[in-house]
Amino acid sequence: MTENAPQQQTDLPNAWNPADEEAGLYQRWVAAGYFTADAASDKPPFTIVLPPPNVNGSLHMGHALDHTLMDALTRRRRMQGYEVLWLPGMDHAGIATQNVVERELANEGVSRHDLGREGFVQRVWEWKAEYGGKILDQMRRLGDGVDWSRERFTMDDGLSRAVQTMFKRLYDDGLIYRAERIINWCPRCHTALSDIEVDHSEDEGELVSIRYGDGDHAIVVATTRAETMLGDTAVAVHPDDERYAHLVGTEVELPLTGRRIPVVADKHVDPEFGTGAVKVTPAHDPNDFEIGRRHGLPMPSIMDERAVITAHGPFEGLDRFEARPAIVAALREQGRIVAEKRPYLHAVGHCSRCDTVVEPRLSLQWWVRVEPLARAAGDAVRDGRTEIHPPELAKRYFDWVDNMHDWTISRQLWWGHRIPVWYGPDGETVCVGPDEEPPSGEGWHQDPDVLDTWFSSGLWPFSTMGWPDDTADLAKFYPTTVLVTGYDILFFWVARMMMFGLYAMDGRQPFDHVFLHGLIRDANGKKMSKSRGNGIDPLDWMNRFGADATRFTLARAANPGGDMALAEEWAAGARNFGTKLWNASRFAMLNGATVARPLPATGELTEADRWILGRLRTVVSEVDDLLEDFQFAKATNLLYHFTWDELCDWYLELAKVQLSGDRADNTRAVLGHVLDTVLRLLHPFVPFVTERLWTALTGGESLVVARWPGQALTGGGPALPEPDDVADGRITDLQKLVTEIRRFRSDQGLKPGQKVAARLSGPGYADLAAHEDAVRSLARLTDAGDGFSATAAIEVSLPAGAVQVELDTSGAIDVAAERKRLQKDLAVAEKELKQTEGKLGNQAFLDKAPAEVVDKIKARRDTAAADIERITARLAALPS
RNA sequence: GGGCGCAUAGCUCAGCGGAAGAGCACCUGCCUUACAAGCAGGGGGUCGCAGGUUCGAACCCUGCUGCGCCCA
């Protein structure tokens, strides 16, 4: 390490141009191997597996946030001396990718069936080679410090083997079974979907009331799906509903079909809803399916896989949405429509991939029996083996895992892991493990379906490290330390990885912590979406403001659990901060700031030096605490304000004075030191600009592998002096004095650059006399030389007493402006006096409030009283 | 229908029992030799409404109103 090599001059350009430097810096980091994890290392591990993005996806703002936070976590831990593994990769996104390639084929006038299964899958691989993984390059743009040597893909041989192993184990344990049930069917994708692949929305539909039967034997049912009446096999009423008691056990005629169907009593019918009677279509509604099961009803399917009506005379061949009005019209003709309500708002499920309205469908599918797995997943969080941050979200997790339905894992697709089950000529069913030969011979065939993409993604925390083999990576890096994702992905990711991880890894949880961040919204707090057109492309921001600015914007908005609104102005602000940091650093370096020598002894430092170093020490400690607690927004805001408001606005200005004094070298050391530390603290969030500045400042190899300030694991780091109350108070006084003078100047319309002769005096000034040069520099005051003639005076009250500032404004002063100012200050002081005296006049307050609170109020009262006296006198002295 | 969360400056959000804060926006003046992607100064809020607890409430409790999200 050459971290302490001296660096006198700087080769830094005048301005920071991210586009010129980011890509080169990133390449250098990767080439140096900084991000490559070593399973043989003695360092403590810190592991994150990247929730794998879809192979057909591109980086959106949600990813950018996710990645920024993961990168910040891993970069800091790396600097702290951990052996960091951040493992990247992608999933194969079964439905989405198959859709993409099918669309491509459609443009060529070909269907996947023309290519055949093998040909189609080959074609998807070719597509992947050419277009897949765009997001990986976008991750490089963002600066993700991932271990590219361990990049994985869910369809790779190793991960496929893990999938087959897992299937076999679950099958053998009786946790995977095949059954005919109602599933969510997408008539466009032609596949089953799991519950969470269905999005519900309130859609406008119609509620039609239909009379079944006639005369005394009539019963009215209401439905939003009139077309399903073709598949009705019963009408159900509540057993205690006296209105229909006489009909239960009898049959009514089902219109249009000539069929007679029974009226059954079922206690799951809500007698309050509608007429209290419901039509029962067991093959096309999950509730009706349950009723059908309880009453042994037939379950005819009336639609094919495209949701087109099959059989049933005139309606055959109609799409379900064409069939609906046709059937209503036919019923109306027969006088069977009792009431119609349009529009009628009701919840409708849509395919999360293509937005088609899902069709509940009776079909034979493979299922995971989740009960024991979900219980273990809940217990791991209940036991505290896995901690969810922020903890409020644990409740949502429990609600989900404790009430989870069995999971449909078969998909009627070709792109994915094929179900490793073979069926024999005599009805045999054989599940085949990865190292076994599948049965062959006449009549044997493999199940045609593939597994849900989430089945393979659920294995990600360990399949990526070589499971089911015992590998060095698993030994070193499992369980992973933290999973970072949005709270909307809690069920997709967390629950499924937890279930599989605990099962496959002998009860060892896949991650110790789960950090859930909020969702990205636009400047008005609205969710970003394609239909709204309010999405922001992170690449656009990276192009215009730089990767650092994009990252810093996201990190500054990331309060745990809270959603965050973003707008271009936010990114511009972050870019401005980078510029500020750049300019401040360049200024410091041009003035010889250096880390070449150790910090001077405390006794050799000025109060300004001791103040900024004390503040720095506090900031280091606070930032550290905040980051341990995933408080990214607070940590970055603290750094933003320390850098801008304290370091740049005050210390750099004070340093300008010191640099022309006799202890300039000390100032150079302090400047270098503060800057060095600030760059280290900021590096996890804005890696590029800090790297460029830090290597220039220190001559060190790279900030990526530099030590993190403070904290035990870092083995020390620069020793900073304790915060110094005297120095802090002195600088606070100085700031107040300078600010008051500036206020006066501004009131009086004096140009900021205009020097004004002044004389400073008063009891409060004794302690500040040593800072006179600084005060004069910051307030643009010159000495009161010959011919000085005060035309105005202000009085600033400090804890040690008042300071008089007499100024020669070389002209008349604006008395009205001065009076206005004083009156305003007076009003403030009077309000303060009234408030504090009110409290102190309350015996109950004096008796019950803690002594330090009472003392504080007393001090405030005294200050207010003194201010009133002073201001009143000043007002009286003003020429009228 | 069940559950959760939020209502604080024009906008987006911190603060969660002892003096109302930030960023952006806004107003005034400045190209003051690091920085106009900037500097200096300034204006702006009875902290959704109504009760209660407390010496003291933006902060705790109850109800109401209005939003948002998840699940059914």
Side-chain angles (χ1 to χ4, degrees):
Chain A
M1 287 282 159
T2 51
E3 221 172 275
N4 289 325
Q7 179 88 16
Q8 283 305 319
Q9 273 309 313
T10 166
D11 60 349
L12 294 174
N14 287 339
W16 165 243
N17 288 309
D20 296 347
E21 313 213 30
E22 287 177 348
L25 288 168
Y26 189 78
Q27 277 164 16
R28 205 166 62 79
W29 294 333
V30 173
Y34 296 146
F35 304 139
T36 307
D38 177 8
S41 159
D42 294 332
K43 300 173 180 175
F46 182 84
T47 314
I48 294 182
V49 289
L50 176 76
N54 295 341
V55 63
N56 66 323
S58 59
L59 192 84
H60 58 61
M61 213 40 109
H63 290 127
L65 169 66
D66 226 31
H67 290 225
T68 294
L69 302 184
M70 281 184 266
D71 200 36
L73 288 169
T74 51
R75 282 179 185 269
R76 171 163 169 267
R77 288 297 189 218
R78 191 176 292 113
M79 292 172 80
Q80 285 179 321
Y82 285 80
E83 187 61 33
V84 169
L85 169 59
W86 183 14
L87 191 152
M90 298 181 291
D91 76 32
H92 62 280
I95 300 179
T97 306
Q98 177 156 331
N99 283 349
V100 168
V101 177
E102 284 199 89
R103 264 201 299 277
E104 208 177 80
L105 289 176
N107 288 337
E108 300 164 16
V110 195
S111 87
R112 71 181 151 111
H113 300 280
D114 296 333
L115 297 183
R117 183 165 192 145
E118 241 175 80
F120 177 74
V121 169
Q122 180 56 37
R123 176 68 187 251
V124 179
W125 279 107
E126 286 163 14
W127 172 88
K128 178 189 180 255
E130 190 161 356
Y131 303 107
K134 185 162 64 173
I135 195 169
L136 300 178
D137 288 327
Q138 296 167 334
M139 287 166 58
R140 292 179 171 92
R141 289 283 313 273
L142 196 59
D144 285 3
V146 296
D147 183 350
W148 292 110
S149 74
R150 284 179 169 82
E151 183 194 332
R152 296 287 186 268
F153 181 54
T154 47
M155 287 292 283
D156 284 347
D157 290 344
L159 276 68
S160 298
R161 186 160 171 269
V163 166
Q164 195 175 351
T165 305
M166 188 68 173
F167 190 97
K168 173 79 172 152
R169 284 196 193 175
L170 288 166
Y171 182 89
D172 290 346
D173 277 354
L175 294 174
I176 282 183
Y177 63 94
R178 198 176 187 216
E180 186 168 51
R181 299 253 183 94
I182 292 271
I183 45 87
N184 303 295
W185 180 265
C186 175
R188 205 216 64 81
C189 299
H190 291 183
T191 182
L193 304 171
S194 69
D195 293 345
I196 50 176
E197 289 168 290
V198 176
D199 297 329
H200 294 272
S201 60
E202 286 274 302
D203 291 0
E204 285 188 0
E206 57 185 16
L207 185 68
V208 180
S209 299
I210 310 167
R211 181 168 48 80
Y212 287 9
D214 291 291
D216 289 347
H217 237 73
I219 191 162
V220 174
V221 297
T223 180
T224 55
R225 303 200 56 203
E227 73 280 10
T228 63
M229 58 88 56
L230 298 174
D232 285 0
T233 54
V235 171
V237 298
H238 194 275
D240 301 336
D241 195 333
E242 297 191 353
R243 293 171 294 179
Y244 303 115
H246 67 292
L247 292 173
V248 172
T250 69
E251 294 191 331
V252 295
E253 189 196 325
L254 181 64
L256 305 181
T257 65
R259 281 196 284 126
R260 297 186 68 78
I261 55 175
V263 177
V264 300
D266 192 292
K267 60 182 193 305
H268 286 84
V269 175
D270 177 6
E272 305 292 321
F273 182 78
T275 59
V278 297
K279 61 194 276 303
V280 181
T281 324
H284 292 277
D285 182 281
N287 294 322
D288 293 6
F289 176 75
E290 293 303 322
I291 295 175
R293 273 228 288 224
R294 283 193 288 273
H295 298 274
L297 300 171
M299 304 187 174
S301 271
I302 58 157
M303 295 179 208
D304 66 11
E305 61 179 19
R306 298 165 299 161
V308 167
I309 305 289
T310 52
H312 300 98
F315 306 108
E316 181 172 351
L318 292 181
D319 176 79
R320 56 188 165 159
F321 295 120
E322 297 164 1
R324 186 175 302 168
I327 284 174
V328 171
L331 288 167
R332 190 181 298 116
E333 209 162 289
Q334 294 189 6
R336 292 196 171 269
I337 303 297
V338 176
E340 295 175 77
K341 196 187 266 182
R342 290 194 190 82
Y344 178 75
L345 273 186
H346 63 132
V348 178
H350 298 257
C351 172
S352 61
R353 284 292 162 208
C354 72
D355 209 38
T356 302
V357 173
V358 299
E359 183 62 38
R361 188 164 196 249
L362 189 60
S363 87
L364 188 60
Q365 303 285 346
W366 286 95
W367 301 81
V368 171
R369 187 158 73 82
V370 297
E371 197 276 331
L373 301 171
R375 182 156 26 82
D379 287 345
V381 175
R382 276 184 277 269
D383 296 349
R385 282 176 288 154
T386 296
E387 275 183 63
I388 292 182
H389 310 267
E392 302 90 84
L393 286 168
K395 234 177 303 174
R396 231 191 239 197
Y397 173 80
F398 293 135
D399 284 348
W400 171 256
V401 296
D402 293 343
N403 299 295
M404 196 172 173
H405 300 298
D406 279 2
W407 172 18
T408 341
I409 49 171
S410 42
R411 295 288 179 276
Q412 287 66 50
L413 305 170
W414 286 353
W415 174 240
H417 302 97
R418 194 156 171 188
I419 290 177
V421 171
W422 271 258
Y423 305 107
D426 300 313
E428 302 96 325
T429 300
V430 176
C431 179
V432 176
D435 302 317
E436 299 167 5
E437 269 300 306
S440 57
E442 189 65 26
W444 283 93
H445 65 280
Q446 187 176 4
D447 192 294
D449 290 350
V450 301
L451 289 164
D452 182 1
T453 304
W454 291 100
F455 191 97
S456 48
S457 302
L459 309 174
W460 190 257
F462 45 96
S463 64
T464 51
M465 297 183 198
W467 187 88
D469 296 334
D470 281 326
T471 64
D473 274 4
L474 278 173
K476 178 74 182 176
F477 296 113
Y478 189 95
T480 72
T481 315
V482 54
L483 181 87
V484 178
T485 190
Y487 64 72
D488 56 329
I489 308 297
L490 182 64
F491 308 138
F492 288 91
W493 272 104
V494 181
R496 279 169 181 173
M497 288 182 171
M498 286 290 277
M499 291 196 302
F500 278 5
L502 291 161
Y503 176 82
M505 296 298 293
D506 305 314
R508 295 170 71 214
Q509 70 282 3
F511 11 80
D512 298 333
H513 300 272
V514 175
F515 176 71
L516 299 166
H517 60 248
L519 273 31
I520 306 275
R521 298 176 178 280
D522 71 7
N524 297 313
K526 293 271 185 291
K527 214 167 170 174
M528 286 187 184
S529 69
K530 279 190 190 133
S531 53
R532 276 202 188 84
N534 62 346
I536 301 173
D537 181 358
L539 293 170
D540 177 48
W541 275 17
M542 282 195 260
N543 289 334
R544 294 163 57 210
F545 304 116
D548 284 331
T550 304
R551 298 166 56 116
F552 202 63
T553 305
L554 292 165
R556 279 188 82 195
N559 280 301
D563 290 351
M564 58 215 81
L566 293 182
E568 200 170 304
E569 292 85 345
W570 281 235
R575 186 260 327 257
N576 295 352
F577 176 67
T579 305
K580 189 74 179 176
L581 187 65
W582 181 266
N583 286 320
S585 303
R586 210 167 54 91
F587 168 78
M589 283 182 237
L590 287 169
N591 283 282
T594 178
V595 294
R597 61 173 69 81
L599 271 181
T602 305
E604 300 292 310
L605 296 172
T606 67
E607 283 173 339
D609 297 336
R610 299 208 300 271
W611 163 73
I612 197 68
L613 290 170
R615 282 291 303 138
L616 180 66
R617 186 185 169 113
T618 304
V619 167
V620 167
S621 146
E622 288 177 358
V623 166
D624 236 9
D625 290 347
L626 289 166
L627 290 179
E628 286 298 319
D629 197 29
F630 302 101
Q631 302 273 1
F632 300 102
K634 290 192 178 68
T636 43
N637 275 307
L638 178 57
L639 287 168
Y640 176 96
H641 286 291
F642 175 73
T643 303
W644 203 312
D645 303 347
E646 300 188 88
L647 178 57
C648 292
D649 286 352
W650 290 100
Y651 186 73
L652 282 185
E653 296 303 323
L654 294 167
K656 285 176 184 172
V657 179
Q658 295 186 175
L659 283 167
S660 57
D662 56 1
R663 282 195 284 194
D665 276 348
N666 285 358
T667 303
R668 294 189 180 104
V670 172
L671 255 181
H673 205 83
V674 174
L675 205 51
D676 175 23
T677 307
V678 164
L679 292 170
R680 289 172 198 248
L681 292 170
L682 281 166
H683 180 255
F685 300 101
V686 284
F688 295 107
V689 68
T690 50
E691 173 79 334
R692 188 69 178 82
L693 291 170
W694 187 84
T695 48
L697 173 71
T698 65
E701 178 187 321
S702 171
L703 197 40
V704 177
V705 289
R707 276 194 319 245
W708 179 255
Q711 266 233 337
L713 257 170
T714 62
L720 294 167
E722 293 281 350
D724 177 333
D725 289 344
V726 174
D728 285 359
R730 208 58 53 76
I731 299 304
T732 303
D733 288 351
L734 181 150
Q735 288 172 329
K736 181 169 183 196
L737 177 59
V738 168
T739 302
E740 287 296 327
I741 297 170
R742 286 173 175 169
R743 274 213 310 175
F744 177 82
R745 293 178 54 119
S746 182
D747 286 346
Q748 293 298 320
L750 294 165
K751 307 280 182 250
Q754 186 181 336
K755 303 274 190 189
V756 177
R759 186 157 54 209
L760 298 149
S761 61
Y765 195 63
D767 290 337
L768 280 179
H771 295 278
E772 178 146 345
D773 286 348
V775 173
R776 288 185 181 280
S777 167
L778 289 167
R780 310 273 166 200
L781 303 178
T782 54
D783 286 330
D786 295 338
F788 176 81
S789 154
T791 54
I794 56 172
E795 213 172 47
V796 180
S797 84
L798 298 176
V803 178
Q804 274 82 41
V805 185
E806 295 165 278
L807 302 112
D808 183 352
T809 58
S810 35
I813 70 153
D814 184 343
V815 179
E818 180 64 355
R819 179 174 289 111
K820 198 173 148 199
R821 151 74 13 143
L822 288 168
Q823 279 167 345
K824 193 183 164 189
D825 288 353
L826 183 62
V828 170
E830 281 173 338
K831 188 178 164 201
E832 175 80 351
L833 184 68
K834 196 176 159 199
Q835 261 179 10
T836 50
E837 283 191 330
K839 287 201 176 203
L840 295 168
N842 180 346
Q843 193 56 45
F845 171 75
L846 296 175
D847 290 347
K848 300 195 176 181
E852 69 261 28
V853 173
V854 176
D855 288 346
K856 221 163 100 181
I857 300 289
K858 277 182 179 162
R860 279 171 52 197
R861 192 247 339 249
D862 295 345
T863 304
D867 285 349
I868 288 170
E869 191 176 340
R870 178 175 56 78
I871 297 167
T872 307
R874 291 272 307 129
L875 274 169
L878 279 185
S880 46

